[in-house]
Amino acid sequence: IDPDVAYFLGLVIARGTIIPASESHGVNQIIIEFPYVNLTAEGITTSFDQQSAIRLALLDTRERLLELLDADISLVNRSGGVDFVIRFLRNNMIWRNILLLTGGKTNHYNFTIPEIILSLGLPTDIKREFVRGYADVGGNIRHANRYVDGKHRVRLDILNANWDLPVQLCLLIQE
């Protein structure tokens, strides 16, 4: 595992859905939801349009993942966000490794953090990339989350039906 794979896994675990070919017209797909939680984010001295910032960041992310996945990647606009649709035209090793790393689970509502990310021997920079990927789709900055000094905190959403993920994420961040 390397930083790019860890980052991709963070994206998938936070808001990904894996759709096998048998359920999607013969094409294996992963859909990652990038929501627009707030349309603008106000900092201490500046503000930015979240929709534009997400679109620009997605172009960089797309390039990073094209190299990693060797798959067709498209951006699909929807109300409230953008979906990252990754299509695997073959049942290749990349696809099989994704299924292996997610434990055969197919939706962010029941994913857990892959064991390899939690392993003690994994370098910290790779673990940080996982958290960065998770935060890129599962994190948000709200005015209500400001600290007393005015700085914003990032809140990580956990849209999960089990209690394993929050505990694993907490342990990973503490490490």
Side-chain angles (χ1 to χ4, degrees), residues 66-79:
L66 276 171
E67 184 71 27
L68 175 70
L69 300 174
D70 190 31
D72 177 45
I73 302 175
S74 58
L75 304 177
V76 178
N77 289 314
R78 61 176 171 80
S79 63

Side-chain angles (χ1 to χ4, degrees), residues 7-8 10-12 14-17 30-39 50-51 53-62 65 73-86 108 132-139 157 159:
Y7 178 80
F8 174 67
L11 296 174
V12 171
R15 287 197 192 260
T17 302
I30 297 177
I31 299 173
I32 301 170
E33 304 168 16
F34 285 81
Y36 303 140
V37 177
N38 298 317
L39 293 181
Q50 192 176 31
Q51 184 174 356
I54 287 175
R55 290 284 296 170
L56 289 172
L58 284 179
L59 295 176
D60 289 340
T61 302
R62 182 179 182 274
L65 296 181
I73 302 175
S74 58
L75 304 177
V76 178
N77 289 314
R78 61 176 171 80
S79 63
V82 175
D83 286 343
F84 219 57
V85 180
I86 305 166
H108 63 273
R132 186 172 285 123
Y134 192 100
D136 277 355
V137 291
D157 292 333
L159 307 171

Side-chain angles (χ1 to χ4, degrees), residues 4-131:
D4 290 332
V5 173
Y7 178 80
F8 174 67
L9 283 173
L11 296 174
V12 171
I13 299 301
R15 287 197 192 260
T17 302
I18 297 172
I19 306 169
S22 60
E23 299 174 17
S24 64
H25 310 294
V27 177
N28 294 318
Q29 294 185 78
I30 297 177
I31 299 173
I32 301 170
E33 304 168 16
F34 285 81
Y36 303 140
V37 177
N38 298 317
L39 293 181
T40 60
E42 297 289 331
I44 294 173
T45 58
T46 60
S47 67
F48 70 92
D49 174 34
Q50 192 176 31
Q51 184 174 356
S52 298
I54 287 175
R55 290 284 296 170
L56 289 172
L58 284 179
L59 295 176
D60 289 340
T61 302
R62 182 179 182 274
E63 291 303 314
R64 181 178 184 180
L65 296 181
L66 276 171
E67 184 71 27
L68 175 70
L69 300 174
D70 190 31
D72 177 45
I73 302 175
S74 58
L75 304 177
V76 178
N77 289 314
R78 61 176 171 80
S79 63
V82 175
D83 286 343
F84 219 57
V85 180
I86 305 166
R87 291 180 181 89
F88 296 86
L89 303 178
R90 294 185 249 349
N91 193 21
N92 58 17
M93 186 182 292
I94 297 166
W95 175 256
R96 293 175 190 186
N97 284 345
I98 292 166
L99 294 177
L100 177 69
L101 289 166
T102 58
K105 296 174 182 159
T106 59
N107 195 296
H108 63 273
Y109 291 113
N110 55 23
F111 285 142
T112 57
I113 296 176
E115 287 181 30
I116 193 165
I117 298 293
L118 297 171
S119 66
L120 294 175
L122 192 68
T124 304
D125 64 318
I126 293 176
K127 292 182 180 196
R128 278 192 191 117
E129 282 302 305
F130 176 86
V131 174

Side-chain angles (χ1 to χ4, degrees), residues 135-146:
D136 277 355
V137 291
N140 67 67
I141 301 169
R142 298 183 311 150
H143 190 68
N145 287 345
R146 282 183 309 156

